[in-house]
Amino acid sequence: MRRITRAIRLACAVVVAGVLIAGCGLMDGARNGNGALAGMDMQGAAERADGMFYATVGEIKPGIEWVHYTTTTGSCDVTRYWTVMTVVSEQRRGNFLGVVERSWKASGYRIKTVNPSKDMPAIYATSPDGFGIRVKVGYKGQAFFRVTSPCVDESKVAEPTKVATGRTYEGRPPIPNVRSDFWSVEAPAPGPAPSS
């Protein structure tokens, strides 16, 4: 009798675990039989990644200059990279990252991690359909964006079609070279407290 009871409990536990795992998969968007995001191939994923990036930088005011960096593909995913050419001063980085974070939250993205490092802060988030998006500030205020798709159907991936707002120099890696009246300038020191 004990063996039967244990076998029934084990079978129930396996069924419950299977239902939970299947339910988690559905939260990231509908999947096809291969585990890929249904109805999307690598080209569609690259275009979705581009749209996520363009929407984000469209919220940054005053505007910044950026360039396409590279595209990589895995066995079933696509990653797009962009480099910000506008120098973001140390004093303006918190403002810059705050604008990005608010934009992502307004788009329904779930903020996964915020690295508050003074030297290299970063924000990692996930869109409702399972795309990962990241912004990271590196050496001397250079910001980098990355969007990675969930698993999608295999296809060829074309280069982005939108013209970048910044420019690079042929044969050189993109480095920040654009000074902004707002983003590149140190924030003014707080003035004296108002007298009562």
Side-chain angles (χ1 to χ4, degrees):
M1 185 70 161
R2 281 185 171 168
R3 287 184 181 174
I4 294 172
T5 304
R6 267 191 254 164
I8 292 172
R9 285 184 182 161
L10 180 61
C12 288
V14 169
V15 168
V16 168
V19 168
L20 289 174
I21 291 169
C24 289
L26 294 175
M27 290 175 64
D28 287 336
R31 307 284 173 175
N32 67 18
N34 301 327
L37 197 60
M40 186 175 287
D41 62 11
M42 289 179 163
Q43 178 61 38
E47 291 169 5
R48 167 80 172 115
D50 293 342
M52 291 170 67
F53 170 73
Y54 302 145
T56 300
V57 296
E59 294 293 318
I60 300 172
K61 306 289 186 223
I64 56 170
E65 293 192 22
W66 55 268
V67 295
H68 299 285
Y69 185 55
T70 191
T71 300
T72 61
T73 58
S75 59
C76 69
D77 62 355
V78 177
T79 303
R80 291 272 217 213
Y81 299 85
W82 299 268
T83 301
V84 174
M85 301 305 285
T86 303
V87 176
V88 180
S89 71
E90 186 177 337
Q91 293 79 8
R92 299 285 191 196
R93 287 179 202 158
N95 185 296
F96 176 83
L97 293 170
V99 170
V100 170
E101 184 175 2
R102 284 189 297 277
S103 168
W104 290 351
K105 285 180 176 177
S107 296
Y109 300 174
R110 182 174 54 91
I111 305 299
K112 292 174 56 177
T113 305
V114 175
N115 178 355
S117 165
K118 180 180 176 190
D119 298 322
M120 296 186 168
I123 303 172
Y124 298 80
T126 305
S127 70
D129 54 354
F131 282 70
I133 188 166
R134 177 202 80 184
V135 61
K136 183 176 184 180
V137 178
Y139 181 68
K140 291 192 175 181
Q142 183 163 29
F144 304 91
F145 284 86
R146 178 186 76 197
V147 178
T148 301
S149 76
C151 189
V152 294
D153 293 327
E154 189 175 359
S155 71
K156 290 184 178 183
V157 179
E159 292 299 316
T161 56
K162 186 168 183 169
V163 176
T165 61
R167 64 182 190 145
T168 59
Y169 299 95
E170 196 63 40
R172 294 178 153 175
I175 57 172
N177 58 18
V178 177
R179 309 254 348 136
S180 160
D181 288 342
F182 181 79
W183 296 112
S184 305
V185 177
E186 294 181 10
S195 57
S196 344

